[in-house]
Amino acid sequence: MLLRVRVTLPDRPGTLGQVARTMGVSGADIVQVVVLERLGGRAVDDFTVVWPGAARVERLLAGLAAIPGVRVDGVWRAIGAPTTTGQDAELLAQVAANPADGVATLVDAVPGLLAADWAVAAVVPLDWATRAGGGEPTVGHASWRAPVPPRLPEVTPLRARAVSAPDGGHFAVAPFGRAGLVLVVARERTDPLAAPAFHGTEVDRLAQLVRAAAVILGDRLDLVGVPPVVAGP
């Protein structure tokens, strides 16, 4: 199976090689490495690996934990192939080519881009500011893996941010900037795997996609979540 492994490690020569060798010895075949952050002598890297289905992930975690200064922030199943350059532009091109289904296209594609489980476009009530907890949003579109009803965090249409739930689930939230519409992307906890919270670079990427889609779709966003008009007899 395809796994994503997030590791925080010292940003010095040789450490990345130690991590890669340990993964190989444990049985992981590395297919991609993405650097999320380099700051203050530390780096945060996402490894996408092919992992033998019958092998125990604990062996991999123990090997990485034995490397001085290395911390495993999360291990979770990746959906689809590793991300490549140009995927965001290709997605926005698809949204522009078929704006009638633009929000649905975005919602379906984003989980694969951010190694998440599901996504929904949620509409926050117009009077959310006067309600405790922001009010219950309604779902305009949901990706194919989204639960029914989806378990949504407290949502307000103000700014992009990461949110973590008490049950171990994690969310990234990004507003479209109109009609109370917000894109919510989720990673769920699946024992024995534990996905990490969304990193700031992932939240920024989601926010950029949502802002660009909002420019492309314009007034069409006002129709998300509005019940269709049924013609009379």
Side-chain angles (χ1 to χ4, degrees):
M1 59 182 173
L2 203 62
L3 290 181
R4 189 70 63 90
V5 184
R6 180 164 298 172
V7 178
T8 297
L9 65 157
D11 188 14
R12 59 172 181 258
T15 305
L16 182 59
Q18 284 183 281
V19 171
R21 284 193 297 273
T22 299
M23 287 187 173
V25 170
S26 301
D29 181 14
I30 299 174
V31 295
Q32 186 181 60
V33 182
V34 175
V35 179
L36 297 177
E37 176 184 306
R38 298 181 70 178
L39 183 66
R42 304 283 288 174
V44 181
D45 294 350
D46 269 2
F47 294 81
T48 302
V49 304
V50 177
W51 182 254
R56 295 178 62 86
V57 176
E58 290 83 355
R59 182 176 62 186
L60 173 62
L61 300 181
L64 293 173
I67 304 173
V70 171
R71 183 184 75 235
V72 178
D73 296 328
V75 181
W76 71 110
R77 295 195 69 158
I79 306 300
T83 58
T84 58
T85 57
Q87 284 183 314
D88 292 9
E90 176 60 28
L91 172 57
L92 293 173
Q94 293 174 14
V95 171
N98 186 12
D101 295 325
V103 173
T105 299
L106 185 68
V107 169
D108 284 338
V110 160
L113 296 181
L114 296 181
D117 293 305
W118 51 268
V120 299
V123 182
V124 179
L126 294 178
D127 60 345
W128 63 270
T130 62
R131 300 190 185 193
E136 288 296 324
T138 58
V139 175
H141 291 284
S143 68
W144 69 277
R145 290 172 57 91
V148 181
R151 298 175 293 277
L152 298 179
E154 179 181 322
V155 177
T156 55
L158 292 178
R159 61 182 177 85
R161 65 195 188 282
V163 181
S164 294
D167 64 0
H170 301 289
F171 303 89
V173 180
F176 284 83
R178 63 186 299 160
L181 187 61
V182 179
L183 186 57
V184 182
V185 188
R187 287 182 185 142
E188 295 185 328
R189 182 181 180 91
T190 306
D191 292 330
L193 305 180
F198 285 88
H199 191 271
T201 58
E202 295 176 306
V203 176
D204 289 344
R205 183 183 183 188
L206 178 66
Q208 291 168 7
L209 282 169
V210 168
R211 285 195 298 266
V215 172
I216 294 169
L217 298 176
D219 293 344
R220 290 181 182 272
L221 296 177
D222 298 335
L223 302 177
V224 177
V226 176
V229 177
V230 179

